[in-house]
Structures are given as C-alpha cells and as structure tokens.
Amino acid sequence: MTRFRIRRRALVGVVLGFVLTAALAACGESEADAPVAADPPGPVDAQVGGTVDRGGANITLTEVGATRSFGSFDNAEPGFMFISAYFKVQNSGTGSINLDPEVMTLELAGGGTGIARQAAPAARLANAGPAPGAEERGWRSWEVPEGTRAATISYKPTADTEIRFGVIVPTEIRERWRV
C-alpha cells in the first residue's frame, strides 16, 4: 500500500508539473498578442515592384516603408505608425486620371482602413493626375495601428477602374524617417 501511495503521489506531482508549466507559458498572452494577419486583404493585382496598366493609368509601386515620425510636427499618435508608399503614375490614356487622396485608400485586414496623412518622407504624390502621356512620382502615407503587418492599397484612377497593390509592411519600423 505504501508503494501505491508513493507512485500515486509521483504521478500527481508529474501532472501538476505539466499543468503549472502550461499555465506559466500562457501568462501574459492575450488577444492583443495574437499574430497579426500577414496577408494583404482582398484580391491584389501586384505587389511592391509591380506595375499595372489599366483604365488609362500605368502605376508602379516602387517602395514601402514604416515609421513613427517624419519630423517634429509629423508624428503618429501613440499606438500608431505611418505606412508610406512611393508611386510612379503615368497617364497612358487620352483622358484624365484622378490622384486625389480619397481615390487611393489603404485597406487593413479585418475591414478597417488607414487614415490618409499629408506627411511623407520626401515629395508627396500630386493631388492632380498627370496629363495624357505625362507622369507623376511621389509618396502617399497612411496612419495605421502599430503591429499592422499587411495591407492593400486600392487606387481608383477613374470611376470604373480599380488597381490593387498588396503590401507586406517591413519589419523595421523607423523611429524617424528622413530622406
């Protein structure tokens, strides 16, 4: 009987050890710590480095970066960061194309959108589309929650055309971005 009690106590000790280890390993985890989506939402036409020619617009997304600040007056709110994208937009048609900030949105996983900001690491993309045969180059920025890993930039150069770029946010979030 003594042997049975010793084995039972040893078994209970082993089980309690596993339970305690599992409980300690889970300490501090919450939904906020859950992995953030790493795939751009929705369908995409291209990714960074890609070019799409549609609806009279030929657009290339050449670079994407992330920062908390562009300088003394251009700082993201606490818990947020900026995602900035550099574009080359050519008017490949005969009509006008739109470049207003509201026709270029940043979609986040889960259905949210980034908040368009005037801040940029260098020259901002013009708000007026280029004339036929001409091009514009520049940056667009959006403020997003820190931890955002993927997004989709939706650009609507005309009322019936949409071009979508999938973006994977760089792992390096710069404290301050200067060019």
Side-chain angles (χ1 to χ4, degrees):
M1 183 132 159
T2 307
R3 244 180 165 169
F4 178 70
R5 284 185 185 168
I6 293 172
R7 285 185 182 166
R8 190 168 72 180
R9 283 184 185 169
L11 181 61
V12 169
V14 169
V15 170
L16 286 175
F18 281 120
V19 171
L20 181 60
T21 301
L24 288 174
C27 283
E29 288 187 15
S30 67
E31 280 190 37
D33 296 329
V36 179
D39 292 323
V44 297
D45 298 306
Q47 295 181 341
V48 177
T51 299
V52 178
D53 191 341
R54 184 179 304 142
N58 181 299
I59 182 169
T60 303
L61 172 59
T62 60
E63 184 180 349
V64 172
T67 188
R68 291 181 180 83
S69 173
F70 293 113
S72 28
F73 297 108
D74 296 323
N75 298 301
E77 294 293 322
F80 288 82
M81 65 184 186
F82 295 109
I83 293 177
S84 295
Y86 186 80
F87 295 96
K88 179 177 95 173
V89 181
Q90 295 176 312
N91 186 334
S92 60
T94 57
S96 63
I97 60 173
N98 196 346
L99 274 178
D100 290 334
E102 63 268 5
V103 301
M104 193 175 281
T105 59
L106 185 81
E107 301 171 4
L108 305 174
T113 58
I115 301 167
R117 296 293 186 215
Q118 291 294 319
R124 293 182 311 218
L125 188 62
N127 289 343
E135 75 176 37
E136 293 287 339
R137 295 172 184 247
W139 292 90
R140 282 283 162 86
S141 298
W142 298 268
E143 193 171 6
V144 300
E146 280 193 26
T148 298
R149 299 300 316 135
T152 298
I153 298 170
S154 170
Y155 170 49
K156 296 178 181 173
T158 63
D160 59 347
T161 302
E162 180 179 28
I163 299 170
R164 297 172 57 86
F165 286 95
V167 173
I168 303 300
V169 179
T171 55
E172 176 196 0
I173 310 302
R174 302 172 189 180
E175 284 302 317
R176 188 171 185 174
W177 191 346
R178 292 185 189 173
V179 175

